[in-house]
Amino acid sequence: MTTTTRSSAKERGNSTDEGAPPASKAGAGSKHKVEEGTKSPEPKRPKKSDEKEQKTIEETIGGSEQTKQEQQAEQQEQQEEIAKDSEKEDVAKAEKETATGDAEEPREDAKDIPSSILEKGIIYFFFRGRVGIDRPSDVDEIARSYIILRPIAKDAKLGSGPIGDAGNSRVCVVPKKVLPKTGKDRWISFVEKTGASFSELKDEFLKSNDYETKTAGTRHSPAATPVAEGVYAITSTGKDSHLAYILTLPDKLGEVQKEIGLKEKGSFIISTRNPQYEPPKNARIPKGPEYPKELLEEFRSLRWAPTQPRHLDYVNTQFLLVGESSGIAKALEQQKKDQKEGKNEPAEELEQLEEEDAQRMQDLDDDDAARIFADLQADAGHYPKLPTTF
């Protein structure tokens, strides 16, 4: 530092005449003449002491030079460490900015958001072909369908760039392969993964996998195929909860999307199963979730309860999807309380979110599949294209 450097410079200045002792240590005769005939006084210390002191002075000078070099080396090392830390911070900041872009921005009219919207965000639909079938030619060759929910803040609007990785994505499995279309269709689905980062989605969900079996040898599980992307809202209409969505991609529904059960605007009644009861027979679902005591108490004696977003934050949560042929009308119906308070209509909220999402996704790439994978921070070249026909 500055003080240390100045101190070292001063020491060098005091040691310009190498080997010369300080003036205070010079011989007695050099300062006072001795009269003739007068006995010279005895030196105050023996010659050996002077030699020893001289040696000590030289060592001190050498030590100062060595100390200076050590200090300079230490300072340089500290500066390099600071530079490295600063570089790491800059890289991390740049990565974060690249990952999130300006996708989520605060809204000025947050107070006008309807209370019936419990959660909103981005929704992705995927399916996976049966073992060994990378490109299914019909629904029968699909093993399972999947819904990925990526929530955003209720008071946020979508800006530009990828949605960004908040590490809060959920992977939901639809064992029936297709989505329920009418009230007669009632499918049990479950949460396979919660709090997932995009890197986890790439490594544990999206990519293909080859594995060994004792009886059939090497088996190939194909990569997940994108079907659609859009925006969603989990809403409460008092008695029921709904999962409503509006598709952003593809622009027009193809054969594949229709066969899967998707609509341009659609919704499902969604109810969570009380794990304290036995599951329905022949249901292809895993063991129940590990809910905390306070959450279990909310079910009371009900076998099914209107789904709350927090239910979906537990792995193995099992929920019932019931089709709604009326589209999103019931799911986004404005509640009387919100109407009296002058809140925005739920339908307008979701439609506005879809407009923001359409602009955002349009800027990501020229290809629908590439846009979806870019949003999930994955390389589209490693995954299937978004199909519209079988």
Side-chain angles (χ1 to χ4, degrees):
M1 305 306 200
T2 305
T3 306
T4 306
T5 304
R6 289 178 179 174
S7 175
S8 301
K10 186 176 180 181
E11 289 177 357
R12 288 199 307 275
N14 292 340
S15 58
T16 304
D17 298 326
E18 294 185 4
S24 62
K25 304 301 180 182
S30 64
K31 189 173 182 181
H32 302 284
K33 292 184 178 179
V34 181
E35 297 180 1
E36 290 186 23
T38 304
K39 187 177 180 181
S40 299
E42 293 292 330
K44 293 183 179 181
R45 59 172 64 92
K47 185 176 180 180
K48 287 184 177 180
S49 298
D50 289 339
E51 292 175 350
K52 183 177 181 181
E53 183 175 352
Q54 177 65 31
K55 185 177 180 181
T56 303
I57 293 172
E58 291 174 350
E59 288 175 348
T60 302
I61 294 172
S64 298
E65 292 295 333
Q66 184 179 3
T67 302
K68 179 191 172 186
Q69 293 176 357
E70 290 176 350
Q71 290 174 342
Q72 288 178 336
E74 185 178 350
Q75 289 176 15
Q76 185 176 357
E77 185 177 347
Q78 290 176 348
Q79 290 174 353
E80 289 176 354
E81 288 296 326
I82 292 172
K84 287 180 181 179
D85 292 340
S86 178
E87 184 178 356
K88 288 179 180 178
E89 290 177 0
D90 291 341
V91 171
K93 184 178 179 181
E95 288 178 346
K96 184 176 181 181
E97 290 175 349
T98 301
T100 59
D102 298 320
E104 291 186 55
E105 302 171 354
R107 286 176 48 167
E108 296 179 357
D109 62 340
K111 61 182 179 62
D112 296 328
I113 297 173
S115 61
S116 60
I117 293 182
L118 307 180
E119 179 181 283
K120 70 178 186 180
I122 308 300
I123 188 168
Y124 308 89
F125 296 93
F126 284 82
F127 68 66
R128 192 184 304 278
R130 295 172 62 183
V131 173
I133 302 176
D134 288 301
R135 296 181 180 180
S137 59
D138 56 47
V139 172
D140 291 336
E141 292 186 348
I142 294 175
R144 282 178 171 180
S145 292
Y146 299 85
I147 299 173
I148 296 179
L149 302 177
R150 197 293 195 182
I152 64 173
K154 285 198 294 182
D155 61 351
K157 66 177 181 179
L158 296 176
S160 61
I163 186 61
D165 187 2
N168 64 344
S169 297
R170 312 182 188 105
V171 178
C172 303
V173 180
V174 183
K176 278 279 190 179
K177 307 178 186 180
V178 298
L179 298 168
K181 298 177 182 179
T182 69
K184 296 179 180 180
D185 300 331
R186 298 166 174 260
W187 308 159
I188 294 183
S189 304
F190 62 91
V191 178
E192 185 175 74
K193 194 168 188 61
T194 63
S197 65
F198 288 164
S199 61
E200 288 176 312
L201 291 180
K202 286 186 292 185
D203 296 338
E204 301 174 19
F205 170 69
L206 293 177
K207 71 177 185 179
S208 61
N209 180 41
D210 293 329
Y211 57 96
E212 296 292 330
T213 64
K214 292 182 179 180
T215 56
T218 303
R219 305 296 297 272
H220 173 72
S221 177
T225 298
V227 182
E229 183 270 353
V231 297
Y232 78 92
I234 296 176
T235 67
S236 172
T237 55
K239 182 180 179 181
D240 298 314
S241 289
H242 304 258
L243 173 59
Y245 67 86
I246 300 178
L247 294 185
T248 302
L249 300 174
D251 293 333
K252 294 182 179 180
L253 295 180
E255 175 190 354
V256 172
Q257 286 71 30
K258 292 177 181 178
E259 287 291 325
I260 293 296
L262 287 170
K263 304 173 183 177
E264 291 183 358
K265 298 180 180 181
S267 66
F268 317 100
I269 296 174
I270 181 170
S271 304
T272 306
R273 191 180 78 81
N274 185 346
Q276 297 174 99
Y277 289 94
E278 288 294 322
K281 294 181 179 180
N282 302 321
R284 295 182 294 171
I285 52 178
K287 66 176 183 178
E290 296 181 0
Y291 289 149
K293 182 180 179 182
E294 58 270 20
L295 186 54
L296 287 173
E297 290 175 348
E298 292 180 8
F299 286 93
R300 302 189 301 278
S301 60
L302 299 174
R303 290 180 177 272
W304 299 88
T307 295
Q308 299 291 316
R310 63 180 178 276
H311 296 167
L312 304 177
D313 289 330
Y314 291 87
V315 173
N316 293 339
T317 282
Q318 295 148 22
F319 56 91
L320 187 69
L321 289 177
V322 181
E324 292 190 280
S325 55
S326 59
I328 62 175
K330 288 184 179 179
L332 300 179
E333 185 180 2
Q334 189 175 33
Q335 301 302 293
K336 292 182 179 179
K337 179 182 177 182
D338 289 340
Q339 189 174 13
K340 289 180 180 179
E341 295 178 359
K343 299 290 182 72
N344 296 336
E345 292 189 13
E348 292 179 352
E349 284 284 318
L350 196 57
E351 287 170 357
Q352 179 182 334
L353 186 64
E354 193 279 326
E355 289 178 5
E356 296 167 359
D357 186 55
Q359 182 60 52
R360 184 182 68 85
M361 295 298 285
Q362 188 70 30
D363 295 338
L364 294 185
D365 207 288
D366 295 330
D367 177 79
D368 285 348
R371 289 172 181 148
I372 292 174
F373 288 117
D375 210 32
L376 296 173
Q377 298 179 22
D379 183 0
H382 298 154
Y383 303 100
K385 295 289 186 180
L386 187 150
T388 54
T389 60
F390 279 117

